Amino acid sequence: MAQIELTGVSKSYETETAVAGIDLTFKDRVTTALVGASGSGKSTLLQMVNGLVRPDTGSVRLFGRPLDYENLAPLRRRIGYAVQETGLFPHLTVEKNITLLARLENWDNDRMRDRMVELMRLVELPKEYALRYPYELSGGQKQRVGLCRAMMLNPPVFLLDEPFGALDPITRREVHREFLRLQASEPRTMVLVTHDVIEAIALAEEIVVLREGRVEQHGTSEQVVREPASDFVAELFRTESP
Ligand code: ADP
Ligand code: MG
């Protein structure tokens, strides 16, 4: 039984179908990238996994159980969620932002401190930054703090929606390296939404290509690149410069 299983899920908004009958099982303890054009349903699908979006039809199973929409809080502790806009609290220091969830869980100070130091070391944020406020950080540093915060409770499932989108190319490469290092040291089931196929290939073992709310192809990164299921996929992964 996989940690994340979606069966026949659909979601429509007034005028649009965002997700149109998707069956998808994510492979445990690896990174799967969801790629596709803007509007193809990536974010909607991701938000179905943590219950932020409830499908019109179909079912979502997490850790072997159907999602309980009346009681999402316990589940959310087991699902890290990081978005492009980092969502850091501006009035809280880096330390308070990172340890937020652990404080809600009543962790003792030593344990909290140890975990924070470990995470900051992993993403190469200098310890002294713990006392800074978000406005005192660069975009890349904020994003690292956002990653630390989402990892604090060591969730077995981690959802990322274009988490590196706002970074300049050099910072982005650095953060990619840190991402790979984190994933190597604490492997977990990651679902990474990106419209950047280079990023998908660099970070993910598995790729799901979405097109207009449907799965166009699901395979290993290598399969998607070498054996595209359609001209659409081939075109998307045609990465040589024009
Ligand atoms: P992506 O993340 O791939 O860009 P989304 O999942 O955000 O795609 O959106 C898929 C489709 O659903 C788009 O056409 C979008 O306009 C529509 N959509 C998404 N969220 C909403 C919403 N809250 N209200 C209305 N339409 C929405
Ligand atoms: Mg999106």
Side-chain angles (χ1 to χ4, degrees):
M1 160 205 81
Q3 289 176 327
I4 311 175
E5 294 175 317
L6 307 171
T7 311
V9 291
S10 301
K11 173 72 189 172
S12 295
Y13 295 101
E14 266 157 49
T15 51
E16 329 244 7
T17 300
V19 168
I22 285 184
D23 294 312
L24 199 56
T25 298
F26 290 95
K27 198 168 165 195
D28 287 350
R29 293 165 66 84
V30 304
T31 302
T32 300
L34 291 180
V35 305
S38 173
S40 57
K42 305 183 297 294
S43 297
T44 303
L45 194 64
L46 193 74
Q47 291 176 337
M48 280 180 180
V49 176
N50 64 0
L52 278 175
V53 168
R54 189 169 184 165
D56 301 329
T57 67
S59 67
V60 179
R61 293 176 74 86
L62 273 213
F63 309 114
R65 295 218 201 122
L67 254 185
D68 177 2
Y69 291 92
E70 310 311 317
N71 188 21
L72 290 170
L75 195 68
R76 294 260 174 81
R77 287 195 281 275
R78 303 174 70 192
I79 305 178
Y81 182 50
V83 294
Q84 178 166 337
E85 313 79 50
T86 73
L88 297 181
F89 290 102
H91 60 288
L92 297 182
T93 59
V94 165
E95 170 166 17
K96 297 284 184 208
N97 267 290
I98 293 177
T99 57
L100 189 70
L101 294 172
R103 274 182 287 128
L104 293 175
E105 295 285 299
N106 298 313
W107 282 27
D108 69 57
N109 284 333
D110 285 349
R111 183 177 174 208
M112 214 149 62
R113 175 100 207 148
D114 289 350
R115 176 69 176 155
M116 181 186 77
V117 168
E118 180 189 15
L119 286 169
M120 288 180 74
R121 189 177 43 75
L122 271 172
V123 303
E124 291 186 345
L125 269 173
K127 270 209 299 282
E128 313 78 80
Y129 281 48
L131 297 175
R132 293 200 181 188
Y133 286 87
Y135 75 88
E136 297 172 297
L137 304 176
S138 71
Q141 290 164 344
K142 274 190 250 193
Q143 232 140 32
R144 289 170 216 202
V145 174
L147 285 175
C148 289
R149 186 177 63 178
M151 304 287 269
M152 185 72 196
L153 301 184
N154 199 18
V157 166
F158 204 9
L159 311 177
L160 302 122
D161 196 340
E162 312 244 8
F164 316 124
L167 304 178
D168 65 77
I170 293 171
T171 311
R172 203 171 177 156
R173 273 198 293 278
E174 279 171 21
V175 176
H176 280 175
R177 268 201 298 278
E178 287 152 17
F179 176 94
L180 289 169
R181 197 162 54 224
L182 271 175
Q183 183 63 339
S185 73
E186 298 182 355
R188 66 200 62 236
T189 308
M190 296 254 193
V191 184
L192 168 72
V193 165
T194 177
H195 62 263
D196 178 350
V197 298
I198 310 270
E199 178 166 280
I201 293 166
L203 301 183
E205 198 166 298
E206 297 262 316
I207 293 182
V208 173
V209 180
L210 289 183
R211 181 188 191 186
E212 295 173 9
R214 296 177 194 279
V215 174
E216 185 82 2
Q217 185 168 4
H218 180 194
T220 64
S221 309
E222 198 174 275
Q223 281 167 344
V224 170
V225 172
R226 297 216 175 145
E227 304 154 37
S230 63
D231 290 346
F232 178 84
V233 176
E235 189 59 37
L236 193 64
F237 283 86
R238 206 187 304 283
T239 52
E240 68 266 304
S241 41

